[in-house]
Amino acid sequence: MLVYIIYFVVIACFAVEYEFRPFESNTLLGILIVAMALLAGLRGENIDKDYDNYIYSFEMLYNTNNLLIFTLYEPGYIAIVRLVRLLFDVNYPVVILLFCAFVSVFLKITNIKKLAINPYLAILFYFSHYFLLHEMTQIRIGLAAALFFVAISYYLKGERIKFVGIVLLACLFHYSAIFYLFVLFFDTVSFNRIIYFSLILLSFLLAFVHVPFTGYLNNLNLGDVSSKLEIYTEMNIFDNINVLNLLNLCNIFACTYLIFFTPAKVLITDKRLIFFLKCNIFSIFLLSFLSEVPGITFRFSQLFGVVAMFVFCYLAKFLPFSKFNIFFVILIGAVFLYYNISKTGIIGSYHITSFK
């Protein structure tokens, strides 16, 4: 686990430096992109639970012409696999993983620079959670989320047609990205503290009173969509979901604090904060609301929770500890990293792939 800790400490140092003396360095961001993409793309076998499934899909997608394959895998992902497989006979799985990692990390970090008030602090939270979850594990949704980051900038500028276009492009890499269109209901000019805090309270209630979605989904008959939902409802990887886990509690704390202690003027002028808070609170709500169906719960909650990294950056601005705010927020990031590498089981000890 040492390699993850080293990456975390290095990024944390940049975050502290930026907080006290903001600086611009495309070179440093470029180095981080390369370093993180190599970490994900060159990961060895058995580090994550999805590795063997992806290796199997690379060979299967190259050899099959059955159109039913599009019910399981997205056109963009199939195109990447087939193109790389045509160009490389040896070590093609490594090339695919590297390509996906570089594209995803590049798009995310370049757009984090545009969206975050402290880009290195946002990168720290990205590395501590969604990098491990997406780039190191679920590469298809990782690519889709990267395109969502691109789309956010257009959404905040009011260019909704471009936003919709990029979201549809993201669907080529993961069909669930279509649900990003829900954010069209989130305006960026107002924030009702009572409504969104009530949504958090309702999430607490639903954590104990589960909505029986399993029975409803099993009665659906929507062809291929129904089959996909059935796969999710039968997933065992997320059994015994704990809605009030440590990471979600940290998320709830961050949102609740910002709801009550962000200056009113900021909550009507800062479009980014308004958008990030709404998405993140919606993610918290989905985690509780859909908790009866763990596979679906995590899938849809993570779609919107990916912006949590930006919410935590605002804690460094509005917490009451003055210049020590940044260190408190980095400590929360360390909790995320510890929880993910020690408790969740999504990632194992790192080793580089064995080239053929």
Side-chain angles (χ1 to χ4, degrees):
M1 302 297 180
L2 180 61
V3 65
Y4 306 124
I5 297 173
I6 292 173
Y7 269 71
F8 181 90
V9 171
V10 170
I11 300 171
C13 290
F14 295 145
V16 172
E17 179 68 18
Y18 188 93
E19 192 69 18
F20 288 103
R21 291 192 295 270
F23 62 91
E24 295 288 333
S25 177
N26 290 329
T27 300
L28 179 55
L29 289 174
I31 292 172
L32 285 177
I33 289 170
V34 172
M36 293 172 68
L38 288 176
L39 184 71
L42 295 179
R43 69 185 183 277
E45 302 81 0
N46 303 318
I47 290 179
D48 63 275
K49 294 181 178 180
D50 285 357
Y51 188 91
D52 290 339
N53 292 332
Y54 275 113
I55 298 301
Y56 169 78
S57 73
F58 296 160
E59 192 65 30
M60 184 264 293
L61 291 175
Y62 179 71
N63 291 310
T64 185
N65 292 314
N66 192 332
L67 293 180
L68 290 177
I69 200 65
F70 287 100
T71 65
L72 296 175
Y73 297 100
E74 296 77 10
Y77 175 68
I78 295 173
I80 291 172
V81 171
R82 291 201 167 197
L83 179 61
V84 173
R85 186 67 178 84
L86 284 172
L87 297 176
F88 296 87
D89 286 329
V90 181
N91 292 315
Y92 65 87
V94 179
V95 178
I96 295 171
L97 292 175
L98 276 172
F99 177 82
C100 292
F102 268 101
V103 171
S104 188
V105 173
F106 173 80
L107 291 177
K108 284 173 180 169
I109 288 185
T110 53
N111 283 279
I112 284 173
K113 178 188 175 184
K114 298 177 184 178
L115 297 169
I117 57 176
N118 182 334
Y120 296 97
L121 188 57
I123 292 171
L124 185 76
F125 275 89
Y126 162 53
F127 176 77
S128 301
H129 187 54
Y130 278 101
F131 173 81
L132 301 177
L133 186 63
H134 288 168
E135 279 59 72
M136 297 285 288
T137 310
Q138 304 169 358
I139 61 177
R140 290 152 55 215
I141 191 64
L143 288 168
L147 287 168
F148 177 57
F149 274 38
V150 177
I152 289 174
S153 294
Y154 291 105
Y155 185 78
L156 294 176
K157 290 186 291 186
E159 300 180 30
R160 297 198 169 194
I161 294 178
K162 291 182 180 179
F163 171 82
V164 171
I166 296 173
V167 167
L168 294 178
L169 180 61
C171 293
L172 296 179
F173 299 97
H174 205 284
Y175 293 134
S176 66
I178 192 67
F179 291 98
Y180 279 132
L181 295 180
F182 271 106
V183 306
L184 292 172
F185 296 103
F186 300 158
D187 70 73
T188 57
V189 296
S190 64
F191 187 89
N192 189 307
R193 298 176 195 253
I194 296 176
I195 290 177
Y196 284 95
F197 180 63
S198 297
L199 201 58
I200 292 176
L201 291 179
L202 180 58
S203 300
F204 266 104
L205 175 63
L206 292 175
F208 300 99
V209 182
H210 301 294
V211 179
F213 272 106
T214 304
Y216 301 145
L217 291 175
N218 288 337
N219 291 328
L220 287 176
N221 185 16
L222 302 176
D224 294 332
V225 175
S226 181
S227 299
K228 194 74 170 177
L229 289 173
E230 184 177 354
I231 292 173
Y232 284 142
T233 59
E234 294 177 353
M235 288 175 71
N236 295 322
I237 187 174
F238 297 121
D239 280 352
N240 301 318
I241 177 175
N242 178 14
V243 172
L244 300 179
N245 62 70
L246 183 59
L247 301 189
N248 199 40
L249 288 175
C250 288
N251 215 0
I252 290 172
F253 162 75
C255 291
T256 303
Y257 183 88
L258 291 173
I259 286 174
F260 288 107
F261 294 99
T262 300
K265 183 179 180 181
V266 175
L267 275 182
I268 61 174
T269 59
D270 193 327
K271 293 183 177 181
R272 292 179 295 176
L273 177 57
I274 292 171
F275 178 79
F276 297 146
L277 271 176
K278 287 181 177 181
C279 280
N280 208 31
I281 293 171
F282 187 50
S283 169
I284 293 169
F285 173 73
L286 286 177
L287 189 64
S288 295
F289 185 59
L290 300 174
S291 59
E292 176 70 12
V293 193
I296 291 178
T297 299
F298 279 95
R299 180 69 69 201
F300 293 111
S301 175
Q302 290 164 3
L303 280 174
F304 301 96
V306 72
V307 302
M309 64 187 77
F310 302 109
V311 172
F312 282 102
C313 288
Y314 280 92
L315 282 183
K317 185 175 182 180
F318 295 119
L319 282 172
F321 312 124
S322 186
K323 63 181 180 180
F324 297 105
N325 286 352
I326 183 68
F327 299 106
F328 181 82
V329 178
I330 287 175
L331 181 61
I332 297 176
V335 170
F336 270 69
L337 181 66
Y338 169 77
Y339 192 84
N340 279 314
I341 66 177
S342 301
K343 300 297 183 181
T344 64
I346 63 171
I347 203 76
S349 297
Y350 189 83
H351 62 273
I352 294 177
T353 187
S354 55
F355 294 92
K356 296 181 180 179

